[in-house]
Amino acid sequence: MYPINQQAMSPEIIKKIDEAGIIAVLIIDDLKHVVPVSRALLAGGVDTIELTLRTPVALDAARLIKKEVSEICLGFGTVLTKDQVSAVVDAGADFAVSPGCNPKIIAEARKQGLSFAPGIMTPTDIEMALEEGCRVLKYFPAESSGGMEHLKNMVAPYQYLNPTFIPLGGCNLENASSYLESPLITAIGGSWVAKRPLIQSENWAEITKNAKQIRTLIKSIKSQK
């Protein structure tokens, strides 16, 4: 198992994600939407995003964000291959996540200096991730896997190693508290803040409203801890 100073995610990014409390998952289809949606999120207090690698413009979108909206902490999702690790590093990614736990991809991310959180859903996934030096893990798909109750039970044997989790998949404003109130959770991820249809229809006001709502909830929960 890797020692603490060789974790797969840098302390700076861990701190940034923890302070954010929310990672807005974006699916970008048109580059003209990149800067406006980023600014709409910032206006609502959300400064950490995950761009999915599911559209042809994702890498160019990242470059635009780095150039025009540098306040954003930029993550990539759906990173599945070594070539994709290289591509997101070249595009300026601050961190990346994947839906599953592939030791080869974790090793490649470490080799290239990319902060990385693999996806977990089972104890075996957790053990593989911990063995590779990962302490921040993506819990995916969160809600259909059993939500917070499943995570608490699954993590109990490993809690002394202090892993933290980013739940994605089914998270929304209504169930966010059930995750964020737990010390196991560093941030939640979700597409509801800036849904694909909202981006496509250029409804920036609604995106800012959604961002403000989740940030208000996060601040309230953090103030009570």
Side-chain angles (χ1 to χ4, degrees):
M1 190 173 290
Y2 282 89
I4 194 75
N5 63 349
Q6 292 185 30
Q7 285 191 32
M9 186 169 282
S10 75
E12 293 79 14
I13 296 299
I14 292 173
K15 183 173 183 289
K16 182 68 177 176
I17 291 173
D18 190 64
E19 289 174 347
I22 173 71
I23 300 173
V25 179
L26 305 184
I27 301 174
I28 300 292
D29 298 290
D30 194 321
L31 286 177
K32 71 179 182 180
H33 295 147
V34 175
V35 173
V37 70
S38 298
R39 288 179 175 159
L41 288 167
L42 283 176
V46 173
D47 65 357
T48 304
I49 69 171
E50 175 197 318
L51 282 175
T52 69
L53 278 178
R54 302 176 201 169
T55 66
V57 302
L59 293 169
D60 287 334
R63 295 184 183 96
L64 258 181
I65 290 170
K66 281 296 180 181
K67 180 181 178 182
E68 302 290 341
V69 201
S70 59
E71 307 98 305
I72 292 286
C73 181
L74 175 63
F76 266 100
T78 331
V79 177
L80 306 177
T81 69
K82 291 182 179 181
D83 286 344
Q84 287 179 329
V85 172
S86 298
V88 302
V89 168
D90 290 344
D94 296 304
F95 68 96
V97 301
S98 63
C101 186
N102 184 335
K104 291 181 180 179
I105 304 305
I106 298 170
E108 185 65 22
R110 174 180 281 106
K111 178 181 175 182
Q112 298 202 35
L114 176 65
S115 287
F116 193 80
I120 62 91
M121 194 182 71
T122 68
T124 299
D125 296 334
I126 292 176
E127 290 185 20
M128 290 170 60
L130 292 174
E131 181 68 21
E132 294 298 322
C134 302
R135 294 297 182 275
V136 179
L137 312 176
K138 172 179 173 178
Y139 173 35
F140 177 82
E143 277 295 284
S144 61
S145 298
M148 201 60 225
E149 190 66 23
H150 174 66
L151 183 63
K152 284 190 293 185
N153 290 332
M154 179 172 60
V155 173
Y158 313 104
Q159 204 159 345
Y160 75 101
L161 294 169
N162 298 315
T164 57
F165 298 86
I166 304 168
L168 288 99
C171 298
N172 54 50
L173 189 63
E174 286 68 40
N175 61 27
S177 295
S178 68
Y179 292 100
L180 291 166
E181 289 170 355
S182 170
L184 291 173
I185 304 303
T186 180
I188 62 171
S191 58
W192 92 90
V193 182
K195 290 182 180 179
R196 198 175 194 173
L198 289 178
I199 296 172
Q200 291 172 333
S201 63
E202 302 183 356
N203 194 341
W204 314 130
E206 187 69 15
I207 290 171
T208 295
K209 175 186 173 183
N210 292 342
K212 285 181 178 178
Q213 286 178 329
I214 186 61
R215 280 300 303 158
T216 298
L217 178 63
I218 290 167
K219 288 178 181 178
S220 174
I221 290 172
K222 285 182 179 289
S223 70
Q224 297 172 27
K225 286 185 176 181

